[in-house]
Amino acid sequence: MSTPTSSPKTGAADAPVTADAVAIKNFAFSPTTLKVTAGTSVTWTNQDTDAHTVTSAGSGGPLHSPALATHATYSYRFTEPGTYAYLCTIHPFMTAKVEVTR
């Protein structure tokens, strides 16, 4: 499955997406960059058979999900602008970010 992208130099997986949901599938967060406005609640849904977490990269970040089983969800409401990098602590190669604007 491929998704058109506006820039030929940027793959569809790297293009920022405006939405309020992130799929966890095939050991990846999709989209890898999500753009939202402050006040938006984002929901992650695990579509893999393995458990995954949604955890802020670095210390002190706001994202701290438990291990999400298949079909489990985790939601967080972003209230402050900024870039929020996160990963799966079980599979640290899985990384993504949420960009929050006013």
Side-chain angles (χ1 to χ4, degrees):
M1 176 171 95
S2 65
T3 304
T5 180
S6 59
S7 171
K9 295 180 184 177
T10 303
D14 296 329
V17 173
T18 301
D20 63 358
V22 176
I24 306 170
K25 60 183 176 183
N26 301 321
F27 288 85
F29 295 106
S30 180
T32 55
T33 300
L34 180 69
K35 288 190 170 204
V36 299
T37 56
T40 300
S41 290
V42 175
T43 300
W44 288 261
T45 302
N46 184 8
Q47 298 176 7
D48 276 341
T49 55
D50 286 45
H52 296 292
T53 69
V54 177
T55 307
S56 292
S59 61
L63 303 173
H64 300 286
S65 80
L68 301 174
T70 304
H71 305 299
T73 62
Y74 171 72
S75 295
Y76 181 80
R77 183 172 179 259
F78 291 91
T79 58
E80 295 295 323
T83 298
Y84 298 82
Y86 63 93
L87 54 84
C88 171
T89 57
I90 302 167
H91 310 100
F93 60 87
M94 294 174 56
T95 61
K97 64 184 172 183
V98 177
E99 295 177 353
V100 183
T101 58
R102 289 223 178 266

